Amino acid sequence: MQLKEQRRNKRPETFVSHLASGLSEMIEIGLTGGIGSGKSTVAAMFADRGAVVLDSDSVVRELQAPGTPVFAEMVSHWGDRIVQNDGTLDRQELASIVFEDPVELQILNDIVHPAHAIEMEKRRAIYVDTDTILVFDIPLLVEVGRGGFDGVVVVDLEPEKAVERLVSDRGIEEGDARRRMANQATREERIEKADFVVENGGTRADLANEVERCWEWIESLPER
């Protein structure tokens, strides 16, 4: 576990704005980590401790459902090749396009990110003026420069171990895993942005201990 001595000052903006209620007592935590790091497991452990988790990937999947403006714009750009027989998005085909071409990846981001930012802010606004611990589970938090948090938690795992877990646990081909990692921030870039690093190189019990220490730190933030 690594912890910076001083918490960064909370910046005045979140995804769209902090609205007029930035003086709420809720604690807002940005949670991120590289693919295969165990970030989703940590998010679930936070939820078990009472946090409300806003899952960025889940929001993206909702925005990319058939019948939405985002889905229509994606199909307009890439055509029916990204649509499965049942009319839903072929995520594997889309991944094969954007993870091989930075230009195509930027086009996807330009389509999805504005709608995603608006939807995340809508969901955040529900908890304004409460004492909720709100965890934003955002895989690309560092890459897109999202700010406005009381603290940023990074789940860290040595990249080669992450590849091993992706292959063994998720059935992702090694080459695909490495391509996806190459399109993310580096391990060093994520740690540089962290206020608290949860290390996930050990057992599940080790991770639970790391999360418990992190949770104690989160609960102490109003006192800092």
Side-chain angles (χ1 to χ4, degrees):
M1 181 271 290
Q2 302 174 24
L3 174 63
K4 292 184 179 178
E5 291 297 324
Q6 297 294 328
R7 176 169 64 95
R8 293 195 303 274
N9 290 332
K10 185 173 179 178
R11 281 170 280 189
E13 77 286 343
T14 48
F15 300 104
V16 176
S17 71
H18 254 274
L19 305 178
S21 49
L23 298 178
S24 68
E25 294 181 358
M26 69 176 174
I27 298 174
E28 299 180 68
I29 299 297
L31 174 66
T32 194
I35 184 172
S37 65
K39 174 183 57 61
S40 296
T41 300
V42 171
M45 289 179 172
F46 284 154
D48 288 342
R49 287 162 171 79
V52 172
V53 178
L54 297 185
D55 185 337
S56 176
D57 279 349
S58 293
V59 171
V60 169
R61 286 191 289 270
E62 292 176 26
L63 293 170
Q64 293 176 337
T68 63
V70 168
F71 182 83
E73 190 170 354
M74 291 167 62
V75 174
S76 176
H77 180 73
W78 288 292
D80 289 340
R81 65 180 292 194
I82 65 167
V83 181
Q84 300 188 97
N85 292 335
D86 64 359
T88 60
L89 180 65
D90 188 334
R91 298 184 184 282
Q92 185 171 355
E93 178 63 24
L94 180 63
S96 72
I97 297 170
V98 301
F99 289 125
E100 295 288 347
D101 188 335
V103 174
E104 297 293 340
L105 179 59
Q106 186 59 52
I107 291 171
L108 175 63
N109 290 340
D110 290 344
I111 293 172
V112 174
H113 284 177
H116 175 266
I118 292 170
E119 183 59 30
M120 290 289 278
E121 181 65 16
K122 286 180 181 178
R123 300 188 185 199
R124 171 196 174 272
I126 295 170
Y127 302 98
V128 168
D129 296 326
T130 73
D131 60 358
T132 301
I133 294 177
L134 195 57
V135 175
F136 295 80
D137 179 349
I138 305 177
L140 301 181
L141 183 150
V142 172
E143 291 84 339
V144 299
R146 293 280 165 84
F149 302 111
D150 294 295
V152 172
V153 175
V154 170
V155 183
D156 182 53
L157 180 63
E158 197 276 325
E160 288 304 313
K161 281 192 176 182
V163 171
E164 291 175 10
R165 291 183 184 181
L166 289 168
V167 172
S168 62
D169 297 346
R170 296 196 202 174
I172 297 177
E173 294 184 3
E174 180 178 341
D176 187 19
R178 294 187 184 280
R179 280 192 295 273
R180 296 188 187 200
M181 292 176 73
N183 279 290
Q184 295 187 333
T186 66
R187 183 185 191 187
E188 293 74 19
E189 287 169 338
R190 280 191 294 271
I191 291 175
E192 170 61 27
K193 298 296 184 181
D195 295 306
F196 195 108
V197 178
V198 173
E199 297 183 2
N200 190 21
T203 65
R204 179 66 176 247
D206 292 332
L207 179 60
N209 289 334
E210 285 283 288
V211 170
E212 183 59 31
R213 284 191 286 270
C214 184
W215 186 252
E216 291 173 359
W217 171 74
I218 291 171
E219 290 187 314
S220 77
L221 290 179
E223 302 169 4
R224 292 172 177 247

